[in-house]
Amino acid sequence: MDTSLSWIKAYVPDLDVTAQEYTDAMTLTGTKVEGFEELDADLDKIVVGQIEKIEKHPDADKLVVCQVNIGAEVIQIVTGAKNVFEGAKVPVVLDGGRVAGGHEPGQRVAGGIKIKKGKLRGVPSYGMMCSIEELGSTKEMYPEQPENGIYIFPEDTEVGADAVELLGLHDVVFEYEITSNRVDCYSVVGIAREAAATFNKEFKPPVVTETGNDEDVNDYVKVTVENTDLCSRYCARAVKNIKIGPSPKWLQRRLSSVGIRPINNLVDITNYVMEEYGQPMHAYDLDTLAGHQIVVKNAQDGEKFVTLDGQERTMDKDVLMICDGEKAVGIAGIMGGENSMITDNVKTMLFEAACFDGVNIRKSSKRVGLRTDASGKFEKGLDPNNAMAALNRACQLVEELGAGEVVGGAIDVYSKKKEPVRVPFDAEKINRMLGTNISEEDMLGYFKKIDLDYDAETKEVIAPTFRHDLFRLADLAEEVARFFGYDNIPTTLPSGEATTGKLPFKLRIEQVASDIAEFCGFSQGMSYSFESPKVFDKLLLPEDSKLRNAISIMNPLGEDYSIMRTTSLNGMLTSLATNYNRRNKNVRLYEMGNIYIPQELPLTELPDERMQFTLGMYGDGDFFNMKGVVEEFFEKIGMKGREKYDPNAGKSFLHPGRQANIIYDGKVVGYLGEVHPEVADIYGIGERAYVAVLDMPEIIPYATFDRKYTGIAKYPAVTRDISMVVPKEILVGQIEDVIEKKGGAHLESFNLFDIYEGAQIKAGFKSVAYSIVFRAKDKTLEEAEITAAMDRILSGLEELGIELRK
């Protein structure tokens, strides 16, 4: 959205600010100014001069010598322009002045070009006559500019006057970044209202006078709206005795200042009102409308339609069309048709101002492949109550510019009137939201400046229909904040529970997992959730494995990314293999990523997404190092001491004798082990690799960060070492269960410090040694208490077939 400062001042007459002051203040009150361009930044000492005499240059066939009256004096200027003539009034850059200096239309040279007196082929020249391009604009914006040559002012222009002012170039054009919820600010009137409120000036919107002769527009045209859901309001007025001609200079200058090329009075009026009110309009040649009817209805699938730009476009049943009694004459809210365009022969015209569904316009514009200024405004959702006001403004301009005779009355099909929104007002709550202490009177004063009414009886603020963004108290608080000044709001701490914010419990557990992995030397990796069905064969999964029941992707990138993974192992092994093949030693990686387990196939509901904590390594380290990382994690989240390991995991991708399920409270929460040599070979890992996978949804219910403080022990510990001969099928976990259960209340800790198998141990057995520590919190233990505890432990071990080593 662009506006010129002069256009804003038309509705805020007392506004007296610099471009930078305007930019800063408007941005702080919520109407963000992206930047501005001062049209006269490179122009200086340019006046209107009248050519009094023209003579041939004595030494150049293509140059002439002109005597130019600039009001205070007559100066001599040498020029090569072909369109100069005696009596012509032209812009003259005086000695020391500056011009924009563009060599191409619209091109500007930073800082401009300084003009100095000099000689051309030996003849002195004390200035320069210039074209519109040299003043930094283009012929498109100044259609009266000759095709090639110097700009010629009208005959009644005052000699010596400021040429830049007469051309409307003492102006600033501002570019705004308007959020989509502030549709009212997509208009000059809306921006002017904000400017008046920002600078505490009086806002004077355009005064629209009543127009129309004694006739009735209903005698000229009939309007029917079949789809009132997509067209909430359709307004129409007729204008007869059309007189097409150029618009007045003031209107052309305003359009040019915002980048709209003046064309003729009728087109310029529709463009002007669209910019002024933010309401797109369209004009039809009434004599080309069959039956003098307008019917607003949906198109037919496959229907062909030629738009004003001469392109044939294909419609569908969701595109809203403007039709006459026989055919379509326009795509609603986007562009009119070639078959009803305004030509120089038009006699009677129909003005249309309507409100169409924004979502439908956006989708239709995309399907049709045509986006216009009108569709860009409609798709944001316009105020239907603005349509008739804009239409009446256009008709007022028609009469003021002598472009035609407005027929009396107006057609207004308004299916469901939009009413103002009433928002409960509570100054105390707004102050709590903002951390301010603003009085209720000041708040209501801010509201009044932007046309918000207040119902004192119900304590409600009444938001006009052009404010689509005001629905709740927080919206009112924003209005208060922006006019009170964000820079004036004191710094305060937020109140309530949010002050002690922290990560959700699930994310805290996952963060601990990442921290433990990194403390143990693992680096984080990431792999795709999309995989190939070939993964299952690479992992040696049985044909009946549940992991093969994967979700197929409907539009995969290729076979290698055609299913959602059901195990995280493939990504980890692929990463390990990549590192191995690049000769990286001692690699340790971890990943936090989801697997996707379908409830059933084909899918009838969303799959079970399960976060997996996956660890993988090769190089320094073995099965027990990996087990230690898992136990470190369990200890950190309060699960230490109750995990068990079942070697009968049955994982086809792990070494049959070096794998285990991790069991906690009777549930399998993960697994770990050495990668099966055949699997490692398939992936290209040339040495032993180890993995561990923990299923986080199974772990999180058991995790806790509750800790109970225990002081430093005051009494000495007593240590007993035992060496046992144990059958090979007995696991150390079974031994530790006995020690923990039989050790009694004074058992502090136990530690496995030796396992031995060899010639000195009988076949089928192994030697296992533990160090057991006892300590009492309230006294020094006696030998009898320790002996009793050891006897219970040894008795329990004997039940497993374990003997003390002698």
Side-chain angles (χ1 to χ4, degrees):
M1 177 68 192
D2 294 348
T3 70
S4 65
L5 185 59
S6 62
W7 204 343
I8 296 295
K9 287 182 176 180
Y11 312 129
V12 191
D14 297 331
L15 186 62
D16 184 18
V17 292
T18 66
Q20 192 60 55
E21 289 171 344
Y22 181 91
T23 297
D24 295 341
M26 291 291 282
T27 298
L28 283 175
T29 56
T31 309
K32 184 180 179 183
V33 180
E34 283 285 284
F36 61 84
E37 179 187 6
E38 295 176 303
L39 301 183
D40 60 354
D42 302 331
L43 308 178
D44 188 30
K45 297 179 70 174
I46 305 175
V47 300
V48 177
Q50 185 173 20
I51 302 174
E52 294 186 344
K53 185 178 181 182
I54 300 177
E55 297 177 332
K56 289 185 178 181
H57 192 288
D59 198 27
D61 293 338
K62 295 184 178 181
L63 297 179
V64 293
V65 181
C66 302
Q67 303 302 318
V68 183
N69 181 2
I70 58 171
E73 60 179 319
V74 176
I75 63 174
Q76 179 172 286
I77 297 176
V78 179
T79 182
K82 297 179 180 179
N83 68 319
V84 294
F85 56 91
E86 292 183 355
K89 293 181 178 180
V90 297
V92 176
V93 189
L94 304 179
D95 178 31
R98 288 180 296 123
V99 291
H103 295 286
E104 298 293 334
Q107 180 187 9
R108 301 186 75 139
V109 176
I113 295 177
K114 193 168 185 178
I115 303 301
K116 296 181 179 180
K117 63 182 179 180
K119 291 184 178 182
L120 291 178
R121 289 290 188 93
V123 176
S125 182
Y126 297 94
M128 184 183 81
M129 295 178 280
C130 49
S131 65
I132 280 296
E133 285 80 8
E134 288 166 325
L135 294 175
S137 191
T138 67
K139 183 180 184 302
E140 283 192 343
M141 299 306 171
Y142 290 81
E144 71 274 17
Q145 160 73 15
E147 191 66 34
N148 292 295
I150 304 303
Y151 183 85
I152 307 296
F153 284 106
E155 293 182 2
D156 58 352
T157 306
E158 179 186 353
V159 174
D162 185 345
V164 177
E165 181 178 353
L166 292 173
L167 290 168
L169 293 174
H170 281 316
D171 207 350
V172 184
V173 176
F174 297 95
E175 179 185 358
Y176 305 87
E177 180 185 332
I178 306 297
T179 55
S180 58
N181 65 329
R182 288 302 307 272
V183 183
D184 57 303
C185 288
Y186 283 92
S187 66
V188 178
V189 167
I191 296 290
R193 182 186 293 109
E194 290 292 311
T198 298
F199 294 100
N200 292 312
K201 302 295 183 181
E202 184 181 1
F203 171 56
K204 295 182 178 180
V207 178
V208 181
T209 56
E210 185 177 345
T211 56
N213 57 22
D214 295 333
E215 297 178 277
D216 186 355
V217 67
N218 291 286
D219 297 332
Y220 281 75
V221 66
K222 177 184 178 182
V223 175
T224 305
V225 178
E226 293 187 2
N227 191 333
T228 56
D229 291 333
L230 299 185
C231 178
S232 57
R233 190 177 193 184
Y234 191 97
C235 304
R237 296 193 71 177
V239 179
K240 67 178 187 178
N241 300 327
I242 299 296
K243 298 176 183 177
I244 293 181
S247 300
K249 290 293 185 290
W250 68 266
L251 193 148
Q252 291 187 27
R253 299 296 181 257
R254 286 187 181 176
L255 291 178
S256 298
S257 70
V258 295
I260 297 177
R261 178 171 62 92
I263 298 175
N264 59 50
N265 48 10
L266 292 181
V267 175
D268 292 351
I269 286 170
T270 59
N271 286 333
Y272 183 86
V273 174
M274 180 173 71
E275 293 300 311
E276 185 180 48
Y277 276 73
Q279 171 66 52
M281 302 184 64
H282 192 67
Y284 299 97
D285 186 340
L286 189 59
D287 294 329
T288 65
L289 298 180
H292 286 189
Q293 294 184 55
I294 287 289
V295 181
V296 183
K297 62 182 181 179
N298 289 65
Q300 300 294 320
D301 281 330
E303 180 179 343
K304 304 293 184 181
F305 182 70
V306 179
T307 47
L308 277 171
D309 57 3
Q311 299 294 315
E312 183 179 75
R313 305 180 189 276
T314 303
M315 306 296 115
D316 62 36
K317 60 182 178 58
D318 294 321
V319 178
L320 191 67
M321 303 295 290
I322 309 297
C323 306
D324 60 16
E326 299 174 353
K327 61 188 180 301
V329 294
I331 308 175
I334 301 177
M335 185 178 280
E338 191 177 51
N339 55 9
S340 62
M341 66 186 296
I342 298 293
T343 66
D344 291 343
N345 299 321
V346 63
K347 300 299 182 186
T348 307
M349 180 186 69
L350 181 72
F351 256 141
E352 163 196 288
C355 188
F356 304 111
D357 180 73
V359 175
N360 177 263
I361 295 298
R362 178 178 60 82
K363 291 181 177 179
S364 297
S365 179
K366 187 174 182 179
R367 285 196 298 270
V368 173
L370 178 62
R371 197 169 190 274
T372 60
D373 289 342
S375 67
K377 292 184 183 292
F378 275 120
E379 66 188 25
K380 294 173 176 63
L382 299 184
D383 175 19
N385 292 330
N386 191 42
M388 184 58 77
L391 183 61
N392 290 336
R393 172 64 166 161
C395 290
Q396 176 191 19
L397 290 173
V398 166
E399 288 196 350
E400 288 181 358
L401 304 186
E405 181 183 352
V406 179
V407 175
I411 295 174
D412 187 5
V413 182
Y414 200 172
S415 56
K416 185 178 180 181
K417 188 174 182 180
K418 184 176 181 180
E419 300 292 345
V421 175
R422 302 177 75 91
V423 184
F425 171 65
D426 188 325
E428 185 178 345
K429 284 186 178 180
I430 289 177
N431 277 321
R432 286 203 301 269
M433 284 183 187
L434 301 178
T436 54
N437 188 26
I438 306 170
S439 68
E440 180 176 312
E441 291 73 18
D442 286 343
M443 292 185 187
L444 294 177
Y446 298 147
F447 297 153
K448 185 177 181 181
K449 291 196 300 183
I450 51 176
D451 290 349
L452 306 186
D453 293 329
Y454 179 62
D455 187 335
E457 292 185 4
T458 61
K459 289 200 169 184
E460 292 176 319
V461 172
I462 304 171
T465 55
F466 63 77
R467 288 300 301 269
H468 291 352
D469 59 318
L470 301 181
F471 296 101
R472 54 189 68 84
L473 188 66
D475 299 329
L476 297 182
E478 183 180 5
E479 299 302 298
V480 171
R482 68 193 186 97
F483 288 112
F484 176 70
Y486 292 110
D487 52 337
N488 295 324
I489 297 177
T491 301
T492 57
L493 288 173
S495 60
E497 296 180 2
T499 305
T500 58
K502 56 185 177 181
L503 287 174
F505 185 75
K506 172 179 175 291
L507 296 183
R508 291 175 65 196
I509 299 298
E510 292 175 7
Q511 184 62 57
V512 170
S514 297
D515 290 344
I516 292 297
E518 290 171 9
F519 295 160
C520 294
F522 288 75
S523 298
Q524 186 173 15
M526 296 182 69
S527 55
Y528 287 116
S529 296
F530 301 161
E531 289 187 334
S532 167
K534 298 175 183 177
V535 166
F536 304 132
D537 293 332
K538 293 173 68 175
L539 294 175
L540 307 181
L541 291 179
E543 290 296 329
D544 59 350
S545 173
K546 291 183 179 180
L547 295 179
R548 287 182 177 269
N549 296 328
I551 302 165
S552 296
I553 299 170
M554 293 180 65
N555 55 341
L557 298 174
E559 185 181 5
D560 289 343
Y561 304 96
S562 60
I563 62 169
M564 303 297 291
R565 66 180 179 181
T566 56
T567 172
S568 61
L569 209 57
N570 174 67
M572 178 57 67
L573 293 179
T574 301
S575 298
L576 291 177
T578 300
N579 279 275
Y580 180 81
N581 292 324
R582 293 180 181 175
R583 301 187 179 183
N584 292 326
K585 298 179 179 180
N586 303 321
V587 172
R588 294 187 173 196
L589 299 174
Y590 80 94
E591 179 185 9
M592 298 293 298
N594 284 333
I595 60 172
Y596 304 86
I597 308 299
Q599 309 290 349
E600 59 178 324
L601 291 175
L603 283 180
T604 56
E605 55 183 312
L606 291 175
D608 183 13
E609 298 186 27
R610 305 186 69 83
M611 177 63 70
Q612 306 291 287
F613 177 28
T614 308
L615 298 154
M617 70 179 188
Y618 67 79
D620 291 345
D622 56 16
F623 178 94
F624 296 104
N625 291 108
M626 184 65 81
K627 179 171 174 283
V629 177
V630 173
E631 291 177 347
E632 184 82 13
F633 170 56
F634 282 166
E635 181 178 12
K636 192 69 173 178
I637 61 173
M639 293 173 62
K640 176 66 177 176
R642 293 171 59 190
E643 70 275 13
K644 309 297 179 187
Y645 299 89
D646 180 7
N648 300 312
K651 305 295 183 185
S652 60
F653 42 81
L654 296 180
H655 192 294
R658 298 169 189 158
Q659 61 173 277
N661 275 335
I662 305 169
I663 299 173
Y664 194 89
D665 200 20
K667 287 188 177 181
V668 177
V669 297
Y671 59 85
L672 79 162
E674 180 185 329
V675 177
H676 196 291
E678 186 176 343
V679 174
D681 185 59
I682 291 172
Y683 278 90
I685 305 173
E687 58 180 281
R688 289 184 177 182
Y690 301 89
V691 295
V693 178
L694 298 177
D695 189 28
M696 299 302 283
E698 291 289 354
I699 289 172
I700 288 172
Y702 299 111
T704 177
F705 290 112
D706 293 339
R707 300 289 187 271
K708 188 174 182 180
Y709 171 76
T710 56
I712 299 173
K714 297 180 180 179
Y715 299 95
V718 179
T719 303
R720 293 289 185 268
D721 294 343
I722 58 173
S723 180
M724 300 163 283
V725 178
V726 181
K728 282 189 174 182
E729 64 272 11
I730 298 296
L731 305 175
V732 292
Q734 295 173 272
I735 297 173
E736 292 178 356
D737 281 344
V738 171
I739 295 173
E740 188 173 9
K741 290 178 181 177
K742 302 293 186 179
H746 300 314
L747 177 67
E748 183 177 80
S749 64
F750 50 86
N751 181 49
L752 171 67
F753 66 86
D754 184 54
I755 297 179
Y756 173 73
E757 295 182 35
Q760 299 179 12
I761 306 299
K762 58 184 177 180
F765 287 80
K766 58 188 173 183
S767 173
V768 177
Y770 270 89
S771 179
I772 305 174
V773 180
F774 298 94
R775 192 197 303 265
K777 297 180 180 179
D778 55 351
K779 64 178 181 177
T780 299
L781 288 175
E782 297 180 0
E783 182 63 30
E785 293 175 298
I786 299 169
T787 300
M790 288 301 299
D791 287 344
R792 291 194 301 271
I793 291 173
L794 294 175
S795 176
L797 295 173
E798 287 176 359
E799 293 177 5
L800 296 177
I802 297 173
E803 304 172 2
L804 282 179
R805 186 177 178 189
K806 299 177 181 178

Coordinates of all heavy atoms in Angstrom, one line a residue, residues 16-63:
D16 N 1.5 18.8 9.8 CA 2.7 19.5 9.4 C 3.9 18.7 10.0 O 4.4 19.0 11.1 CB 2.7 20.9 9.9 CG 3.9 21.7 9.4 OD1 4.6 21.3 8.4 OD2 4.2 22.8 10.0
V17 N 4.4 17.7 9.2 CA 5.5 16.9 9.7 C 6.5 16.6 8.6 O 6.1 16.7 7.4 CB 5.0 15.5 10.3 CG1 4.2 15.7 11.5 CG2 4.2 14.8 9.2
T18 N 7.7 16.3 8.9 CA 8.6 15.9 7.9 C 8.4 14.4 7.6 O 7.7 13.7 8.3 CB 10.1 16.0 8.4 OG1 10.3 15.1 9.5 CG2 10.4 17.4 8.9
A19 N 9.0 13.9 6.5 CA 8.8 12.6 6.1 C 9.3 11.6 7.1 O 8.7 10.6 7.4 CB 9.5 12.3 4.8
Q20 N 10.4 11.9 7.8 CA 11.0 11.0 8.8 C 10.1 11.0 10.1 O 9.9 10.0 10.7 CB 12.4 11.4 9.1 CG 13.2 10.4 10.0 CD 13.3 9.0 9.2 OE1 13.8 8.9 8.1 NE2 12.8 8.0 9.9
E21 N 9.6 12.2 10.5 CA 8.7 12.2 11.6 C 7.5 11.4 11.4 O 7.0 10.7 12.3 CB 8.4 13.7 11.9 CG 9.5 14.5 12.5 CD 9.2 16.0 12.6 OE1 8.2 16.4 11.9 OE2 9.9 16.7 13.3
Y22 N 6.9 11.6 10.2 CA 5.7 10.8 9.8 C 6.0 9.3 9.9 O 5.2 8.5 10.5 CB 5.3 11.2 8.4 CG 4.0 10.5 8.0 CD1 2.8 11.0 8.2 CD2 4.1 9.3 7.3 CE1 1.6 10.4 7.7 CE2 3.0 8.6 6.8 CZ 1.7 9.2 7.0 OH 0.6 8.6 6.6
T23 N 7.1 8.9 9.3 CA 7.5 7.5 9.3 C 7.6 6.9 10.7 O 7.1 5.8 11.0 CB 8.8 7.3 8.5 OG1 8.7 7.7 7.2 CG2 9.3 5.8 8.6
D24 N 8.3 7.6 11.6 CA 8.6 7.1 12.9 C 7.3 7.0 13.7 O 7.0 6.0 14.4 CB 9.6 8.0 13.6 CG 11.0 8.0 13.0 OD1 11.3 7.0 12.2 OD2 11.8 8.9 13.2
A25 N 6.5 8.1 13.7 CA 5.3 8.1 14.5 C 4.3 7.1 14.0 O 3.7 6.4 14.8 CB 4.7 9.5 14.5
M26 N 4.1 7.0 12.7 CA 3.1 6.0 12.2 C 3.5 4.6 12.5 O 2.6 3.8 12.8 CB 2.9 6.2 10.7 CG 2.2 7.5 10.3 SD 0.5 7.6 10.8 CE -0.3 6.6 9.5
T27 N 4.8 4.3 12.4 CA 5.2 3.0 12.7 C 5.0 2.6 14.2 O 4.6 1.5 14.5 CB 6.7 2.8 12.3 OG1 6.9 3.1 10.9 CG2 7.3 1.5 12.7
L28 N 5.2 3.6 15.1 CA 5.1 3.3 16.5 C 3.6 3.1 16.9 O 3.3 2.4 17.8 CB 5.7 4.5 17.3 CG 7.2 4.5 17.4 CD1 7.7 5.7 18.2 CD2 7.7 3.2 18.2
T29 N 2.7 3.7 16.1 CA 1.3 3.5 16.4 C 0.6 2.3 15.6 O -0.6 2.2 15.5 CB 0.5 4.8 16.1 OG1 0.7 5.2 14.8 CG2 0.8 5.9 17.1
G30 N 1.5 1.5 14.9 CA 1.0 0.3 14.3 C 0.8 0.3 12.8 O 0.5 -0.7 12.3
T31 N 0.9 1.5 12.2 CA 0.9 1.5 10.7 C 2.3 1.6 10.2 O 2.8 2.7 10.0 CB 0.0 2.8 10.3 OG1 -1.2 2.8 11.0 CG2 -0.2 2.7 8.8
K32 N 2.9 0.4 10.0 CA 4.3 0.4 9.7 C 4.6 1.0 8.3 O 4.1 0.5 7.3 CB 4.8 -1.1 9.8 CG 6.3 -1.2 9.6 CD 6.8 -2.6 9.7 CE 8.3 -2.7 9.5 NZ 8.7 -4.1 9.4
V33 N 5.5 1.9 8.4 CA 6.0 2.6 7.1 C 7.3 1.9 6.7 O 8.3 1.9 7.5 CB 6.2 4.1 7.3 CG1 6.7 4.7 6.0 CG2 4.9 4.7 7.7
E34 N 7.3 1.2 5.6 CA 8.5 0.5 5.2 C 9.6 1.4 4.6 O 10.8 1.2 4.8 CB 8.1 -0.5 4.0 CG 7.5 -1.8 4.5 CD 8.5 -2.7 5.2 OE1 9.2 -3.4 4.5 OE2 8.5 -2.8 6.4
G35 N 9.2 2.5 4.1 CA 10.1 3.5 3.5 C 9.4 4.6 2.8 O 8.1 4.6 2.7
F36 N 10.1 5.6 2.4 CA 9.5 6.7 1.7 C 10.4 7.2 0.6 O 11.6 7.0 0.6 CB 9.1 7.8 2.6 CG 10.2 8.5 3.4 CD1 11.0 9.5 2.8 CD2 10.6 8.0 4.7 CE1 12.0 10.1 3.5 CE2 11.6 8.6 5.3 CZ 12.4 9.6 4.8
E37 N 9.8 7.9 -0.4 CA 10.6 8.5 -1.5 C 10.1 10.0 -1.6 O 8.9 10.3 -1.8 CB 10.3 7.8 -2.8 CG 11.1 8.4 -4.0 CD 10.7 7.8 -5.3 OE1 9.8 7.0 -5.3 OE2 11.4 8.2 -6.3
E38 N 11.0 10.9 -1.5 CA 10.8 12.3 -1.7 C 10.9 12.6 -3.1 O 12.0 12.5 -3.7 CB 11.7 13.2 -0.8 CG 11.5 13.0 0.7 CD 12.5 13.7 1.5 OE1 13.8 13.5 1.3 OE2 12.1 14.6 2.3
L39 N 9.8 12.9 -3.8 CA 9.8 13.1 -5.3 C 10.7 14.2 -5.7 O 11.1 14.2 -6.8 CB 8.3 13.3 -5.8 CG 7.4 12.1 -5.4 CD1 6.0 12.4 -6.1 CD2 7.9 10.8 -5.9
D40 N 10.8 15.2 -4.8 CA 11.6 16.4 -5.2 C 13.1 16.3 -4.6 O 13.7 17.4 -4.6 CB 10.9 17.7 -4.8 CG 10.7 17.7 -3.3 OD1 11.0 16.7 -2.6 OD2 10.3 18.8 -2.8
A41 N 13.5 15.2 -4.2 CA 14.8 15.1 -3.5 C 15.9 15.5 -4.3 O 16.9 16.1 -3.9 CB 15.0 13.6 -3.0
D42 N 15.8 15.2 -5.6 CA 16.9 15.6 -6.6 C 16.6 16.8 -7.4 O 17.3 17.0 -8.5 CB 17.2 14.4 -7.5 CG 17.6 13.1 -6.7 OD1 18.1 13.3 -5.6 OD2 17.3 12.0 -7.1
L43 N 15.6 17.6 -7.1 CA 15.2 18.7 -7.9 C 15.4 20.0 -7.1 O 15.0 20.1 -6.0 CB 13.7 18.6 -8.3 CG 13.3 17.2 -8.9 CD1 11.8 17.2 -9.1 CD2 14.0 17.0 -10.2
D44 N 16.0 21.0 -7.8 CA 16.3 22.3 -7.2 C 16.4 23.4 -8.2 O 16.9 23.1 -9.3 CB 17.6 22.2 -6.4 CG 17.8 23.4 -5.5 OD1 16.9 24.0 -5.1 OD2 19.0 23.7 -5.3
K45 N 15.8 24.5 -7.9 CA 15.9 25.7 -8.7 C 15.3 25.5 -10.1 O 16.0 25.6 -11.1 CB 17.4 26.2 -8.8 CG 17.9 26.7 -7.4 CD 19.4 27.1 -7.6 CE 19.5 28.4 -8.3 NZ 20.9 29.0 -8.3
I46 N 14.1 25.0 -10.1 CA 13.4 24.8 -11.4 C 12.1 25.6 -11.4 O 11.3 25.5 -10.5 CB 13.0 23.3 -11.5 CG1 14.3 22.4 -11.3 CG2 12.3 23.0 -12.8 CD1 14.0 20.9 -11.3
V47 N 12.1 26.5 -12.4 CA 10.9 27.4 -12.5 C 10.3 27.3 -13.9 O 10.8 26.6 -14.8 CB 11.4 28.9 -12.3 CG1 12.1 29.0 -10.9 CG2 12.4 29.3 -13.4
V48 N 9.1 28.0 -14.0 CA 8.4 28.1 -15.3 C 9.0 29.2 -16.1 O 9.1 30.3 -15.6 CB 6.9 28.3 -15.1 CG1 6.3 28.4 -16.5 CG2 6.3 27.1 -14.3
G49 N 9.5 28.9 -17.3 CA 10.0 29.9 -18.2 C 9.2 30.0 -19.5 O 8.7 29.0 -19.9
Q50 N 9.2 31.1 -20.1 CA 8.5 31.3 -21.4 C 9.5 31.7 -22.4 O 10.3 32.6 -22.3 CB 7.4 32.4 -21.3 CG 6.6 32.5 -22.5 CD 5.4 33.4 -22.4 OE1 5.4 34.3 -21.5 NE2 4.4 33.3 -23.3
I51 N 9.4 30.9 -23.5 CA 10.4 31.1 -24.6 C 9.9 32.3 -25.4 O 8.8 32.3 -26.0 CB 10.5 29.9 -25.5 CG1 10.9 28.7 -24.7 CG2 11.4 30.1 -26.7 CD1 10.9 27.4 -25.5
E52 N 10.7 33.4 -25.4 CA 10.3 34.6 -26.2 C 10.9 34.7 -27.6 O 10.3 35.3 -28.5 CB 10.8 35.8 -25.4 CG 10.1 36.0 -24.0 CD 10.4 37.3 -23.3 OE1 11.4 37.9 -23.7 OE2 9.7 37.6 -22.4
K53 N 12.0 34.0 -27.8 CA 12.7 34.1 -29.1 C 13.5 32.9 -29.3 O 14.2 32.4 -28.4 CB 13.5 35.4 -29.2 CG 14.1 35.7 -30.6 CD 14.9 37.0 -30.6 CE 15.5 37.2 -32.0 NZ 16.3 38.5 -32.0
I54 N 13.4 32.4 -30.6 CA 14.2 31.2 -31.0 C 15.0 31.6 -32.2 O 14.5 32.0 -33.2 CB 13.3 30.0 -31.2 CG1 12.5 29.6 -30.0 CG2 14.2 28.8 -31.7 CD1 11.6 28.5 -30.2
E55 N 16.3 31.3 -32.1 CA 17.2 31.5 -33.3 C 18.1 30.3 -33.5 O 18.3 29.5 -32.6 CB 18.2 32.7 -33.0 CG 17.5 34.0 -32.8 CD 18.5 35.1 -32.5 OE1 19.5 34.8 -31.9 OE2 18.2 36.3 -32.8
K56 N 18.5 30.1 -34.8 CA 19.3 29.0 -35.1 C 20.7 29.1 -34.5 O 21.2 30.2 -34.4 CB 19.5 28.8 -36.6 CG 18.2 28.3 -37.3 CD 18.5 28.1 -38.8 CE 17.2 27.6 -39.5 NZ 17.5 27.3 -40.9
H57 N 21.3 28.0 -34.1 CA 22.6 28.0 -33.5 C 23.6 28.3 -34.7 O 23.5 27.7 -35.8 CB 23.0 26.7 -32.9 CG 24.2 26.7 -32.1 ND1 25.5 26.8 -32.6 CD2 24.4 26.7 -30.7 CE1 26.4 26.7 -31.7 NE2 25.8 26.7 -30.5
P58 N 24.5 29.2 -34.5 CA 25.4 29.6 -35.7 C 26.4 28.4 -36.1 O 26.9 28.5 -37.2 CB 26.2 30.8 -35.1 CG 26.2 30.6 -33.6 CD 24.8 30.0 -33.3
D59 N 26.6 27.4 -35.2 CA 27.6 26.4 -35.5 C 27.1 25.0 -35.3 O 27.9 24.1 -35.1 CB 28.8 26.7 -34.6 CG 30.0 26.0 -35.2 OD1 30.1 25.8 -36.4 OD2 30.9 25.6 -34.4
A60 N 25.7 24.8 -35.3 CA 25.2 23.5 -35.1 C 23.8 23.4 -35.7 O 22.9 24.2 -35.3 CB 25.2 23.1 -33.6
D61 N 23.6 22.5 -36.6 CA 22.3 22.4 -37.3 C 21.2 21.9 -36.3 O 20.0 22.3 -36.5 CB 22.4 21.4 -38.5 CG 23.3 22.0 -39.6 OD1 23.5 23.2 -39.6 OD2 23.8 21.2 -40.4
K62 N 21.5 21.1 -35.3 CA 20.5 20.5 -34.5 C 20.2 21.3 -33.2 O 19.4 20.8 -32.4 CB 20.8 19.0 -34.2 CG 20.9 18.1 -35.4 CD 21.2 16.7 -35.0 CE 21.2 15.8 -36.2 NZ 21.4 14.4 -35.9
L63 N 20.9 22.4 -33.0 CA 20.7 23.2 -31.8 C 20.1 24.5 -32.1 O 20.2 25.0 -33.2 CB 22.0 23.4 -31.1 CG 22.8 22.2 -30.6 CD1 24.1 22.6 -30.0 CD2 22.0 21.4 -29.6

